Amino acid sequence: MFHPADPALPPFLETLQLARPVLWTRSAADASTVTPGAHLLMDQVLSAQERFARFAPLLAELFPELAETGGVIESPLLPAAAMQAAVGLPPEAGRLWIKADHALPVAGSIKARGGIHEVLEFAESLALSAGLLRAGDDYRKLAGPEARACFGRYQVAVGSTGNLGLSIGVIASALGFRAAVHMSADAKAWKKARLRARGVEVVEHAGDYEKAVAAGRAQVEADPCGYFVDDERSASLFLGYAAAALHLRSQLAQAGVRVDAEHPLFVYLPCGVGGAPGGIAFGLSQLYGPHVHCFFAEPVQSPCFLLRMMAGCGQLPGVPMPPSVYDLGLRNLTEADGLAVPRASELAYAAVGAHLRGVYTVEDDTLHADLARLLDSEGLRIEPSAAAGFSGPRQLCGSDAGRAWLRAQGLEAHLPRATHLAWTTGGLYVPEEEYDRFLSRGRSLVAGT
Ligand SMILES: Cc1ncc(COP(=O)(O)O)c(C=O)c1O
């Protein structure tokens, strides 16, 4: 355990402990490009993509907003020249793009990818073993009374800071499952209200995200017809997120964006427990190898993945494993509710830790300022968690630590042809008054700079 203001603390840890923004990068000596069993995992990512395709006709029937895409739940890839100017990334440092998961239909956040995938996988396995479905069938059968009666015997539950709960609750209740979402005290009231309005049982817990997950897990273990979607440990969630990499590859190709040694791709992903950004970073690293450089973004109060990376590199001696942000005296309190997680997922760390280039932290004020800049420059409406990606180019190209890392990797000369991709991870369903509050805080910060 580190004690506040310990004079023996290395300067980096002290900055982290004082909740000031930092950029941590992995040195070339620590870097590895191999995750054990990566090729097997990539086969499963392809299977996840095929599962989404099999379910698409059913999803189009269940959700009118998917009629236009034929049941495909995807988000656009957008050029962001105006936001690039607003965040002060000069054109000679590359081009800024946005992967707009804040607009993902059905659940309105990146958590839809994993959450929906896992519930579909569970529904598919139940239907196959009950003889309600055979290989090659039209999955619209699963909207029929027989399948619904079968699903209605099961409870699907999850522990969540909010957005995973929204996606699980919405898809599970649409298929006819009973759905329960265990939420932490810091989960937003509107997210709870939205779930209750869809008939989802919301169980509130006094503690943080970890406590909500543990309570949900324990409750479902006692229910023989219970299925728990485990945000900290689920491979199915991880694979659902990872499938996004395959779609992004076709979007980049369609937009004429090259990714190779002379055209590096930097991707900035808001991180909570690490599953969503981990799955995507894993998929991208399998597709683009050394030419993609993924960074995770965390609130200054909740740098759990950063601590896990440091511990993995032997930089946190004496801290219990796996480390928690509370060990550093941090409080895990932030407006970025989706990222308010004290301890990283070990599954995500094991799968993607070796591929990650670095992690940086962001103050809540900066999240709000970037949220306002994004509305005023590109007209896009996101929640605070989703703004964490925009500090990436600033940290990488505008800080001493970032430039030193770029130089050490031999990437500086390639910056003019680089792509910077900020992943905006949520926001579609934020109510008007809530958003206005974020916006006015952000605008007053921008006006004061
Ligand atoms: C908007 C948003 N962005 C990013 C994340 C991070 O996902 P993960 O917790 O899997 O790291 C979350 C998690 O809930 C989220 O709600």
Side-chain angles (χ1 to χ4, degrees):
M1 161 77 91
F2 293 102
H3 298 286
D6 181 342
L9 274 186
F12 181 86
L13 263 185
E14 195 181 338
T15 316
L16 197 60
Q17 193 173 40
L18 291 170
R20 299 211 182 106
V22 292
L23 168 65
W24 179 89
T25 51
R26 211 220 309 249
S27 72
D30 294 322
S32 147
T33 50
V34 182
T35 298
H39 59 289
L40 293 178
L41 209 48
M42 205 52 205
D43 284 350
Q44 292 175 273
V45 176
L46 290 164
S47 302
Q49 191 193 37
E50 287 161 11
R51 179 167 295 108
F52 277 124
R54 286 196 294 277
F55 272 94
L58 173 66
L59 294 174
E61 198 166 291
L62 293 176
F63 299 101
E65 64 266 45
L66 295 180
E68 214 177 292
T69 62
V72 174
I73 301 174
E74 255 308 334
S75 70
L77 171 70
L78 306 169
M83 183 60 175
Q84 172 158 359
V87 298
L89 181 69
E92 60 275 17
R95 254 185 103 186
L96 181 67
W97 291 76
I98 289 169
K99 177 62 178 158
D101 271 10
H102 66 278
L104 265 188
V106 178
S109 87
I110 193 169
K111 300 298 281 188
R113 297 182 177 279
I116 291 176
H117 176 256
E118 179 150 2
V119 176
L120 296 183
E121 185 171 9
F122 178 52
E124 186 176 47
S125 72
L126 281 179
L128 287 169
S129 59
L132 296 167
L133 199 62
R134 270 190 243 129
D137 273 357
D138 182 336
Y139 275 40
R140 280 177 291 192
K141 263 175 127 175
L142 300 183
E146 259 191 294
R148 290 187 77 82
C150 166
F151 297 155
R153 288 197 287 278
Y154 291 85
Q155 180 198 192
V156 174
V158 64
S160 166
T161 57
N163 282 333
L164 180 63
L166 279 182
S167 40
I168 300 290
V170 169
I171 183 71
S173 64
L175 286 168
F177 290 107
R178 289 179 287 121
V181 177
H182 295 259
M183 284 176 132
S184 44
D186 53 6
K188 304 277 183 199
W190 72 265
K191 293 185 180 172
K192 296 176 194 165
R194 191 176 166 86
L195 281 168
R196 288 190 173 116
R198 294 198 173 229
V200 176
E201 183 195 356
V202 176
V203 189
E204 298 184 53
H205 296 278
D208 66 4
Y209 157 86
E210 261 189 343
K211 298 225 167 66
V213 173
R217 198 185 282 133
Q219 199 213 48
V220 173
E221 267 164 19
D223 176 357
C225 287
Y227 180 88
F228 187 64
V229 177
D230 199 324
D231 201 16
E232 293 174 330
R233 303 176 188 170
S234 161
S236 182
L237 280 180
F238 189 84
L239 296 169
Y241 301 125
L246 297 164
H247 192 256
L248 178 64
R249 179 174 59 176
S250 40
Q251 287 180 310
L252 287 167
Q254 215 164 25
V257 175
R258 284 172 62 183
V259 181
D260 55 33
E262 279 84 45
H263 300 80
L265 171 63
F266 298 96
V267 185
Y268 309 104
L269 293 148
C271 173
V273 71
I280 290 168
F282 171 81
L284 290 173
S285 71
Q286 297 307 303
L287 299 180
Y288 294 116
H291 311 312
V292 64
H293 307 277
C294 292
F295 289 84
F296 286 1
E298 301 188 301
V300 288
Q301 283 290 344
S302 312
C304 66
F305 218 91
L306 198 166
L307 291 184
R308 188 63 189 87
M309 292 296 290
M310 289 180 74
C313 294
Q315 296 171 2
L316 282 185
V319 167
M321 286 288 282
S324 147
V325 301
Y326 301 127
D327 295 335
L328 223 67
L330 293 170
R331 296 171 59 213
N332 192 30
L333 292 177
T334 168
E335 271 288 357
D337 56 331
L339 316 184
V341 172
R343 205 185 311 265
S345 151
E346 284 297 298
L347 180 139
Y349 173 73
V352 83
H355 301 285
L356 202 58
R357 298 293 194 264
V359 187
Y360 60 85
T361 60
V362 191
E363 287 175 314
D364 274 22
D365 276 355
T366 310
L367 296 177
H368 285 79
D370 282 340
L371 172 149
R373 288 186 184 105
L374 189 64
L375 184 77
D376 293 338
S377 61
E378 306 283 349
L380 303 180
R381 203 171 160 285
I382 60 171
E383 62 184 89
S385 300
F390 295 108
S391 287
R394 224 184 254 132
Q395 283 277 14
L396 201 60
C397 304
S399 76
D400 291 345
R403 296 218 66 107
W405 182 83
L406 286 167
R407 219 170 300 124
Q409 307 295 314
L411 289 166
E412 213 173 25
H414 302 308
L415 276 184
R417 293 172 304 282
T419 298
H420 299 269
L421 182 61
W423 212 289
T424 53
T425 49
L428 185 61
Y429 299 120
V430 176
E432 213 60 51
E433 326 91 74
E434 188 101 357
Y435 182 77
D436 287 347
R437 199 168 54 77
F438 301 145
L439 184 62
S440 59
R441 176 170 167 189
R443 279 195 176 141
S444 64
L445 287 159
V446 173
T449 52

